[in-house]
Amino acid sequence: MIDPINSLAFSMQANKGVYAVLVGSGVSRAAQIPTGWDITIELVRKAAALQNANCEPDPAAWYREATGNSPDYSVLLDTVAKTPAERQQLLRAYFEPTESEREEGAKSPTKAHRAIARLVKLGYVRVVITTNFDRLLEVALHDEGIQPTLLSTADQIAGAMPLVHTACTVIKVHGDYLDTRILNTPAELATYPEAFNRLLDRVFDEFGLVVSGWSADWDEALRASVIRAPNRRFSTYWSTRSDPNAKAADLIARRAGIVVRSPDADTFFTSLAEQVQALEDFAAPHPLSSAAAVSALKRYLSEPKYRISLNDLIRREVDAVLLATSGPAFDVNSRAITGETALARVKGYEAAAQTLVQLAYHAGYWSDGTQAKPWARELVRLANVREANGMKFWLDLQHYPAALLAYSFGVGAIHSGNLDALRILLDGRIRRRSYEEQPVANMASLWSLGGQALQRLPGREREYTPAQNHAMQFLFGQVGRTFDGQEDFDLHFDQFEVLLALSIGTHELGESGRYWVPPGAWGWRRDNCQQVLAKIRSSLSMLGAESPYVTTGLVGKDVATAEQNLTKFEEFKGHLRWW
């Protein structure tokens, strides 16, 4: 059975902007923000102090006995602070952090506030209803560059833009802490002004609902608004860490709601935002956008005057991949490493790189030497992206977009016999943190994803080259229509991997007694490997120093070196013993 939070993430991502969020005091609890009743009782204590009276152990009972009335926020505030300026300064202490509190992270937006703000920025949430007086959500939204429309009084509602015309509307049903008209007592919470009722009726009728941190115990008018909603166009999801109380359970039942178990609001909203972001990462670009990019590439390749436009197109697409793979869905510190999470991460990289892969294939097929240079630069940039710390599995997997670029470009170059462009692509060097330069080909190999680590992927547990097998399937789906079927594509794929390994091997020959190249699918696909090696040997035999495998330096700088490289390669292949 699908987890409710997964169901919510899927629904929210598929129905952008149709869910409103309703948050109560539980969302601000982690920020050490007092509730309205907490402040009211503290004001009772201040009022008692003004009279030199002892209100403990029950300040509310003392106040009722002393005045004949229940504690009232507005009355008490007027008692202890007579002017608006005094009241404002008094309330700031409850909601705004001191220097020491700021250092401790108190009274600042929580992870829940930040996650809600991210969902707003992505366009998935446009309406937030809150019973809280604080401004932590507004601060989190401002930090994301969002200026929300704030509605905390009836007169503000009268002059407000329609909900559909604002990026974000925050409805503070109980008011704002700097406005003395906030609602706090049971009598005040029993009814809302008519303007509020009409607004809430629209929200609860037209939007789905995500509830967190709200007990529904005291807010009679808000409960009534939820109950009045006649339609259930979209679902209600109610986050709670324990069984809902009777009043909350009644609302959940009335809206056919779904209970989501979560230890706290921070965990719930952070998980929701991460999952929605992950689903957005999986949302591949529309095929027409990839087709348009390929069309632009071919036009730029047709004439030298488009050199700058070509550079800009390639860099823009690599920037898009880097941006799409830098969010929380690609956290390298995550300890949740399973077959399912690994597959999700791989598919996220593939979705982000889909347009780049199609561009790279056609660039490899058609580029001359000069036009291949920007691809070499961008391959280095992609291959060099690696967080300094994190889980090794995720760190290695960061090289997947670079590998997809290299393999797609390489298969295209081999398909057209464009070995000069392939040589330029693989000529780049990377300076790692060890300050030792190494060929970019090392990081562009699919073996750099952790060898056989992708045996974690479902269905690939016993495969010799799980990364290659998975990537072949993806790449064939992107560019396979230009080949004579799967077998023809596989042969070109293997030829690229052999040449990739041999290009690395040229650097290994100088190491005394050492020869290692990244294994590939050629290690077990014997017929393809022998066919590729025979083709290279035939070229060396017939053309000698004029063989493209020598003139490009892909196999060796001269015939003798190329022959030595081939011999070492076959010896290395024999040690793999994959068959």
Side-chain angles (χ1 to χ4, degrees), residues 84-106:
E86 290 174 339
R87 287 193 287 271
Q88 187 180 73
Q89 292 303 313
L90 174 66
L91 290 172
R92 286 184 186 279
Y94 295 114
F95 293 98
E96 298 178 8
T98 62
E99 286 301 321
S100 61
E101 286 175 330
R102 187 174 287 107
E103 291 176 1
E104 296 170 359

Side-chain angles (χ1 to χ4, degrees), residues 9 12-13 119 122 124 271-280:
M12 183 173 281
Q13 197 274 335
L119 290 170
L122 290 170
Y124 291 104
S271 178
L272 175 61
E274 288 178 350
Q275 291 191 36
V276 170
Q277 178 70 65
L279 290 171
E280 175 149 300

Side-chain angles (χ1 to χ4, degrees), residues 126-161:
R126 301 179 67 178
V127 177
V128 180
I129 304 166
T130 178
T131 62
N132 298 334
F133 305 143
D134 63 71
R135 295 185 172 181
L136 298 185
L137 180 59
E138 293 95 301
V139 172
L141 289 167
H142 288 157
D143 289 346
E144 291 287 351
I146 300 164
Q147 180 65 47
T149 297
L150 299 177
L151 305 178
S152 61
T153 62
D155 54 324
Q156 289 175 337
I157 294 174
M161 291 282 287

Side-chain angles (χ1 to χ4, degrees), residues 18-21 203-204 206-210 233-236 255:
V18 304
Y19 279 93
V21 171
V203 173
F204 293 139
E206 298 172 5
F207 290 80
L209 198 58
V210 179
R233 292 183 176 88
F234 300 98
S235 300
T236 292
R255 291 186 67 91

